[in-house]
Amino acid sequence: MTEKEKNDYFYVCSLIEYIARETKNKRGKITKILGKKGVEKLLYDAEVNHCLSFEQVSDEVIEQYQIPGGDFDTITECKYTIPSFMDIGKLYSIMIEDCAEEGKEVDELLKIFSSFISDKISDFQTDVYYQNPSYLECSYQAGYLLD
């Protein structure tokens, strides 16, 4: 993966996290609505879109894909410091880079965001999102959180 591609994945993963927080949806629901073509379009547009605010791009994506509001709110009642959407986006982009076969990064993004690990990372009442990316990758590949 080139540096440009790494930056594009970081941006798109951060955007997905931002949209999920704004709409109170699970991250997997956002990627399901976007679909493979939508994610590919966001990656294609990333170099231009990252010059815009996340708020603006998020609003445009929510409107274009008609992303409904949900009830997956892991932030409002959280007692602890919440990582930024960009911190989480970076975590996802590292996982994609490490887990994806060359040329199948979009497929891996869709799999990771739709897997159990995404909901675990999004549970800000726990410390899962602070775990070493290698641990999260191994847990993701195993299908459960490793001891």
Side-chain angles (χ1 to χ4, degrees):
M1 194 182 292
T2 66
E3 286 304 311
K4 180 192 176 308
E5 290 170 328
K6 289 177 186 179
N7 287 335
D8 292 347
Y9 274 91
F10 169 48
Y11 174 81
V12 169
C13 290
S14 298
L15 181 61
I16 291 168
E17 177 68 21
Y18 187 90
I19 291 168
R21 290 180 185 196
E22 285 296 302
T23 62
K24 295 180 174 49
N25 280 299
K26 291 185 177 187
R27 285 67 183 149
K29 181 168 184 174
I30 302 302
T31 56
K32 184 177 181 181
I33 291 169
L34 294 172
K36 186 173 182 176
K37 287 185 179 185
V39 170
E40 289 171 340
K41 174 145 179 35
L42 290 176
L43 287 164
Y44 180 81
D45 294 342
E47 193 170 15
V48 172
N49 282 346
H50 77 71
C51 297
L52 305 171
S53 72
F54 274 93
E55 294 88 352
Q56 179 182 348
V57 177
S58 171
D59 287 347
E60 290 171 3
V61 171
I62 291 167
E63 183 178 328
Q64 179 180 358
Y65 290 91
Q66 299 179 357
I67 298 173
D71 60 4
F72 188 70
D73 182 4
T74 61
I75 295 175
T76 303
E77 307 223 358
C78 189
K79 299 176 190 174
Y80 308 107
T81 303
I82 297 163
S84 76
F85 64 93
M86 292 185 79
D87 290 338
I88 299 297
K90 186 65 174 173
L91 176 60
Y92 280 117
S93 65
I94 290 168
M95 290 180 67
I96 292 162
E97 182 182 344
D98 291 349
C99 295
E101 292 179 38
E102 188 175 336
K104 297 192 177 193
E105 291 87 359
V106 172
D107 294 328
E108 198 67 42
L109 179 151
L110 294 168
K111 281 193 236 174
I112 290 171
F113 274 103
S114 298
S115 75
F116 84 96
I117 201 74
S118 182
D119 290 347
K120 295 292 186 185
I121 291 169
S122 298
D123 183 356
F124 301 127
Q125 297 284 12
T126 70
D127 67 347
V128 171
Y129 55 90
Y130 283 124
Q131 298 299 316
N132 185 305
S134 296
Y135 166 77
L136 295 174
E137 291 164 11
C138 290
S139 293
Y140 159 67
Q141 291 168 331
Y144 58 92
L145 287 178
L146 300 171
D147 292 331

